[in-house]
Amino acid sequence: MVSRYFSYLFCGLLALVFRFSTAQTLPGFDFDSACSSIASELSIPNATVFLAQLVPAGTSITFPDSDPTCQPSGSSQLVPEDICRITMFVATSNRSGINMEAWLPRDWTGRFLSTGNGGLAGCIQYADMAYGSALGFATVGANNGHNGTSGRPFLNNADIVEDFAFRSIHTNVLVGKEVTQSFYGTPHTKSYYLGCSTGGRQGLKSVQDFPEDFDGVVAGAAAADWNHLMAWSGNFFLITGPPSAPTFLPINEWTNLVHADILKQCDLIDGVQDGIIEVPDDCNYDPTDLICGSDGGTDCITAEQAETVREVFMPFFINGQLAFPRYQPGAESITSVLLIGGQMFTFTADWFRFVIFNDPNFDVNQLGPSDWALAQELDPFNISTWKGDISAFKNRNGKLITYHGQADPLISPINSERYFNLVSSTMNLSTSQQDDFYRLFRISGMGHCAGGAGAWEIGQTLDGSAENVSAGSLTLDPDRNVLMAVVQWVEEGVAPDTLLGTKFVNDVPSSGVQFSRRHCRFPLKTTFDGSGDSTVPDSWSCQ
Ligand SMILES: *[C@@H]1O[C@H](CO)[C@@H](O)[C@H](O)[C@H]1NC(C)=O
Ligand SMILES: *[C@@H]1O[C@H](CO)[C@@H](O)[C@H](O)[C@H]1NC(C)=O
Ligand SMILES: *[C@@H]1O[C@H](CO)[C@@H](O)[C@H](O)[C@H]1NC(C)=O
Ligand SMILES: *[C@@H]1O[C@H](CO)[C@@H](O)[C@H](O)[C@H]1NC(C)=O
Ligand SMILES: *[C@@H]1O[C@H](CO)[C@@H](O)[C@H](O)[C@H]1NC(C)=O
Ligand SMILES: *[C@@H]1O[C@H](CO)[C@@H](O)[C@H](O)[C@H]1NC(C)=O
């Protein structure tokens, strides 16, 4: 315990050197006066600057004007380091545009960072803005072309769909780089991206279609193969039926009965009984044992319900064609009512109502295979984000890190393996050739982007509080921070072989570390040595 503490401290000191070794501002640069004059000095076509304001470290910003569905948790965001906050609007057409912000830190490392979005949302992710700027990046975020979490703004406005598909991030990056240069008086050195879910898709989109935008990209749990994902998510309603149907299982039966049975069959495949299925690809679950005997009983399900369970864990086909991988066993522990709660998945409903059919009265309960096929055919603005040729990004020495929680209850983690394999087959790369610029990490026991029973904290996000920040959830150590890992890969050529994940006690950093595990890169498996203490990283290796 003590030695682990000291090794963190030591890594932390190294990381500080790493961080500040690249500070870029010119002699005579005055941060405070730059912040007071930038608003009047900026002249960017199609852009209107609303505000440029110095925000001292420790301030909690509130967002009274932002859409209620976009409010950060707790309605405010702590800013850990001094920043100049700039807010603006940039038109993307005569009927669309992005609200964007740049958070420019006093202690600038010379690096630029774009954050992403989530779901269908038009919400700037302020926690990510605070995180990036606290790590010394000139950080930008945009509202994805609309406000709020609903898909309704897409109705009758394809320009807003276009912003959502790719244009918000791309515009944000072009303008953000210009703002950064005007502010500091010198251009950024390297450009990075950090996002998860829809944010993961946005990262892959940039790699595929805007290879000049970033030198390093971290794309988590990417909502890639978007049209098939929308169909797969909607199709669960066709499997479960509504709560009144004999095929339906209430959520607690998934999280208790089914989950316990899955652990019984699969937890020990990795040699450790810890509630974490290290590699769920290896779990072929059969729910037969859960079916009630002839004498009935309570801790059991009907044969019809067992069929539902089987189908939920099966790959998804549209008209006989494989369209999306299966739901992964293990995910049912933190399963989402959104997918298997007995109604059409909200995002799928909004996507079909407001984009595919452009009809707010369309009855989403009627969606089925022909609609899934139509969406794939339309593929609005190439939102599928499924291009296997990313040679332009590779050729300019870009580095891509993807990660995916193996207990992700919203996007099957196999999707990230599929994309990894699509790139190698399209570009005809051997595993070691692909390793040179693109690595995938499977994070066991992690849910959708965060949370779960595993060692899921890999520096992908900031826990909001000052208490958490000082307790160590803000680390610059590339071994434990996926964003700093891509920085080290880009700037020093040192690629991450593993990501060291941390599980804090009750997920509260100030309560201390419960255990850590090194997550291996695909296709290697994180493998227990069979005898050591399974909570210690050295008891596992990559096989
Ligand atoms: C979106 O929200 C921002 C504030 O976050 C506001 O300035 C802007 O006017 C809103 N846009 C629309 C179209 O409502
Ligand atoms: C400004 O926006 C218009 C669309 O309204 C677009 O055609 C034009 O290219 C934009 N200008 C720049 C410099 O981005
Ligand atoms: C907006 O721009 C489109 C072309 O991008 C054009 O067809 C349309 O007439 C313009 N509308 C207005 C009101 O200027
Ligand atoms: C979609 O991508 C294809 C192939 O890269 C391209 O030819 C087409 O113009 C794109 N469509 C849109 C709407 O961007
Ligand atoms: C794929 O790469 C291998 C070895 O690098 C080469 O022999 C083969 O011809 C390539 N195939 C194609 C289709 O490019
Ligand atoms: C610290 O982070 C955890 C995990 O995200 C969160 O549950 C907790 O509320 C945070 N602590 C405070 C004081 O905000």
Side-chain angles (χ1 to χ4, degrees), residues 65-89:
D65 298 335
S66 83
D67 188 282
T69 58
C70 284
Q71 289 291 327
S73 64
S75 300
S76 68
Q77 177 59 53
L78 175 89
V79 178
E81 297 287 340
D82 286 3
I83 56 161
C84 180
R85 177 187 177 205
I86 302 167
T87 72
M88 53 206 291
F89 175 81

Side-chain angles (χ1 to χ4, degrees), residues 93-95 159:
S93 75
N94 59 17
R95 55 172 187 169
D159 275 299

Side-chain angles (χ1 to χ4, degrees), residues 327-392:
Y327 199 74
Q328 232 9 350
E332 75 292 333
S333 62
I334 41 182
T335 194
S336 170
V337 285
L338 289 173
L339 281 193
I340 47 187
Q343 76 278 309
M344 180 52 64
F345 181 57
T346 338
F347 298 167
T348 304
D350 276 14
W351 189 250
F352 279 85
R353 257 195 302 248
F354 302 126
V355 179
I356 301 299
F357 295 115
N358 201 40
D359 171 6
N361 298 316
F362 179 82
D363 179 6
V364 295
N365 293 325
Q366 303 303 317
L367 287 169
S370 60
D371 307 302
W372 310 145
L374 173 68
Q376 176 67 15
E377 195 187 310
L378 293 177
D379 192 14
F381 303 102
N382 287 331
I383 195 167
S384 51
T385 315
W386 202 246
K387 190 192 275 181
D389 180 1
I390 52 173
S391 50

Side-chain angles (χ1 to χ4, degrees), residues 128-213:
D128 293 345
M129 301 287 291
Y131 186 46
S133 54
L135 294 177
F137 296 80
T139 304
V140 296
N143 77 337
N144 222 354
H146 65 280
N147 286 338
T149 52
S150 156
R152 184 167 283 273
F154 297 138
L155 186 67
N156 296 322
N157 194 332
D159 275 299
I160 295 182
V161 180
E162 187 169 355
D163 288 342
F164 180 77
F166 68 87
R167 198 168 46 182
S168 174
I169 294 284
H170 182 57
T171 305
N172 186 29
V173 167
L174 295 182
V175 172
K177 286 178 177 176
E178 233 178 298
V179 170
T180 302
Q181 174 162 7
S182 303
F183 183 82
Y184 293 108
T186 177
H188 69 278
T189 50
K190 296 287 178 190
S191 168
Y192 297 94
Y193 177 82
L194 178 69
C196 194
S197 195
T198 278
R201 187 193 65 75
Q202 292 167 320
L204 293 185
K205 190 71 178 169
S206 301
V207 167
Q208 293 168 7
D209 291 350
F210 303 99
E212 302 293 327
D213 281 0

Side-chain angles (χ1 to χ4, degrees), residues 493-511:
V494 178
D497 286 334
T498 59
L499 294 178
L500 179 55
T502 306
K503 173 71 174 175
F504 292 106
V505 175
N506 298 321
D507 291 336
V508 178
S510 55
S511 303

